[in-house]
Amino acid sequence: MKVLSIILLACMSMTYVYSQDLKEIKLNAPDKTRGSAFMKALAERKSAREYDARPLSLQDLSDLLWAANGVNREDGHRTAPSASNKQDIDIYAILPDGAYLYDAPSHVLKPIAKGDYRGLVAGSQDFVKTAAVCLVLVSDLAKHGDPAAEQSKITGALDAGIVNQNINVFCSAVGLTNVPRTTMDKDELRKVLKLTDAQLPMINNVLGYPKK
């Protein structure tokens, strides 16, 4: 038993060091003046499943995350409303080099796990593996009371839907290609993202530059 404990501790230490190879990504200040008019963005909104191979620029990534669920007021409120301002939705950015958590108050991406986990978001749809970014929207159901309660799940899903629509409209406004999806390997993503039992992956949004 003592030997087993030592082995487990060693494995945990290796995992910790491995994830620390990723560095925090300090995002640019969001450009709040960019994008087309709102009605035009809605008129041109569409889902697409082909992407250019280029990675997203830091400015595009910064603006995307702020538009999705960033802080837009000094009191800490967000671009996306949530039930009773519980702010239950966390955005995990799955990039080719690793998985990151968007820290909205600090406007930074915090490293969670090193490696390419786009395949866990893809499921059986291989086009996802070519996307520049996969955003996984996770609701912390404990913020709505009992995580097992049906109402908590419904409320969490609604809050995720609002953030998802922010992503859709932003992509349309600035010329990014995207598609919202519910397919993903939730069990494996829970492990990689180190989610609690109360945190539920609700939806993902896969995006990149239009394919030339």
Side-chain angles (χ1 to χ4, degrees):
M1 182 62 72
K2 185 175 181 180
V3 173
L4 179 60
S5 298
I6 293 173
I7 293 173
L8 287 173
L9 285 171
C11 290
M12 290 172 65
S13 298
M14 289 175 64
T15 301
Y16 176 78
V17 170
Y18 187 61
S19 67
Q20 294 309 299
D21 288 342
L22 292 176
K23 296 186 181 299
E24 184 175 277
I25 298 176
K26 179 62 178 175
L27 299 168
N28 294 349
D31 180 356
K32 302 174 186 177
T33 64
R34 69 182 298 194
S36 60
F38 179 70
M39 294 299 281
K40 184 173 184 290
L42 288 179
E44 296 178 353
R45 196 222 65 78
K46 61 183 178 181
S47 296
R49 294 169 174 80
E50 290 186 304
Y51 310 95
D52 189 84
R54 290 176 295 157
L56 235 57
S57 71
L58 183 59
Q59 190 64 58
D60 283 338
L61 182 60
S62 300
D63 292 350
L64 166 69
L65 291 166
W66 180 84
N69 200 22
V71 174
N72 67 350
R73 282 157 284 178
E74 292 184 0
D75 61 5
H77 283 64
R78 305 289 187 88
T79 57
S82 58
S84 301
N85 193 37
K86 296 296 186 181
Q87 300 184 5
D88 59 302
I89 302 300
D90 285 317
I91 301 177
Y92 289 85
I94 311 300
L95 303 178
D97 70 329
Y100 297 80
L101 171 63
Y102 176 49
D103 182 336
S106 300
H107 195 56
V108 299
L109 280 174
K110 294 186 174 295
I112 299 297
K114 186 177 180 180
D116 188 350
Y117 299 103
R118 289 176 294 179
L120 298 182
V121 182
S124 61
Q125 298 178 324
D126 286 341
F127 74 88
V128 175
K129 300 175 184 177
T130 66
V133 183
C134 300
L135 299 182
V136 178
L137 310 185
V138 175
S139 175
D140 185 352
L141 301 181
K143 292 186 176 182
H144 298 300
D146 181 2
E150 189 66 19
Q151 187 57 49
S152 296
K153 295 176 183 178
I154 292 172
T155 305
L158 287 171
D159 287 349
I162 294 170
V163 174
N164 179 67
Q165 186 66 343
N166 279 5
I167 296 169
N168 294 336
V169 175
F170 173 82
C171 288
S172 178
V174 303
L176 292 176
T177 294
N178 79 298
V179 58
R181 307 164 62 255
T182 54
T183 300
M184 55 184 146
D185 190 335
K186 293 183 179 181
D187 290 338
E188 288 303 313
L189 280 171
R190 279 179 178 275
K191 297 174 185 176
V192 169
L193 302 180
K194 303 176 178 62
L195 303 182
T196 68
D197 291 341
Q199 289 180 286
L200 182 63
M202 290 288 186
I203 192 169
N204 62 78
N205 210 305
V206 179
L207 56 103
Y209 294 114
K211 189 171 183 179
K212 295 180 179 180

